[in-house]
Amino acid sequence: GDSVTQMEGPVTLSEEAFLTINCTYTATGYPSLFWYVQYPGEGLQLLLKATKADDKGSNKGFEATYRKETTSFHLEKGSVQVSDSAVYFCALRHDQGGKLIFGQGTELSVKP
Amino acid sequence: EAEVAQSPRYKITEKSQAVAFWCDPISGHATLYWYRQILGQGPELLVQFQDESVVDDSQLPKDRFSAERLKGVDSTLKIQPAELGDSAMYLCASSDNNEQFFGPGTRLTVL
């Protein structure tokens, strides 16, 4: 079945450091790919998405590129802030309106 | 800004008791989802509704879990009897067929 694998956390970085969170997927066909963020005590929020190969999703300084050849959708940010501390989830979805299949989440902690 | 509402936010119960969670989706969203998020894992779909009809309940443990969305608006998820392994965050989401919007969740602890 379809699955998403993320790099293990927690990831601890200093403010202004470069961030990469790896995400790879296994799926039939051409799913859409997503990154969601969960701040402490809150629900999941969509951070960015890409719907086809080579698409780049971006939002709030975060970027991820849909790489079909490596079945990856790695999340990057050039300079993290303390306010970026959260849990990040990679997910895929086959159909509009269909269910999301999530990775296990990666906790990011940014220290001042 | 419209949001998905859930209640209660926290629930502590003893095993073998019944619990119920409520979700009010964003107005006009026909699709509603219930996900379960076990600590340290990603959310997994329990049940999906399109209006009042169940679209996918393949991962719902039907011997103890039930879900309904009688008028195609708000929804209730029930567990009876609760077991220790049901301790988790229960997330509700609704969709305009493009993006899924998540509520804050109900954290269930079964003692």
Side-chain angles (χ1 to χ4, degrees), chain B residues 52-70:
Chain B
E52 67 274 10
S53 300
V54 172
V55 173
D56 184 352
D57 63 356
S58 57
Q59 299 304 307
L60 188 71
K62 299 181 188 60
D63 56 336
R64 298 184 300 107
F65 286 64
S66 64
E68 60 183 15
R69 195 184 183 201
L70 292 176

Side-chain angles (χ1 to χ4, degrees), chain A residues 41 49 89 93 97-98 100 103, chain B residues 9 33 35 37 42-43 48 98 100:
Chain A
K49 67 179 181 181
F89 292 92
R93 187 190 73 193
L100 289 161
Chain B
R9 292 291 307 273
Y33 314 79
Y35 290 86
Q37 184 180 12
Q48 176 181 343
N98 187 12
Q100 289 187 27

Side-chain angles (χ1 to χ4, degrees), chain B residues 12-47:
Chain B
I12 300 174
T13 190
E14 294 185 344
K15 63 180 181 180
S16 79
Q17 296 299 302
V19 293
F21 314 131
W22 177 80
C23 172
D24 191 12
I26 293 172
S27 178
H29 282 191
T31 311
L32 184 147
Y33 314 79
W34 284 100
Y35 290 86
R36 177 169 61 183
Q37 184 180 12
I38 294 170
L39 189 65
Q41 299 182 21
E44 292 186 337
L45 183 75
L46 289 174
V47 61

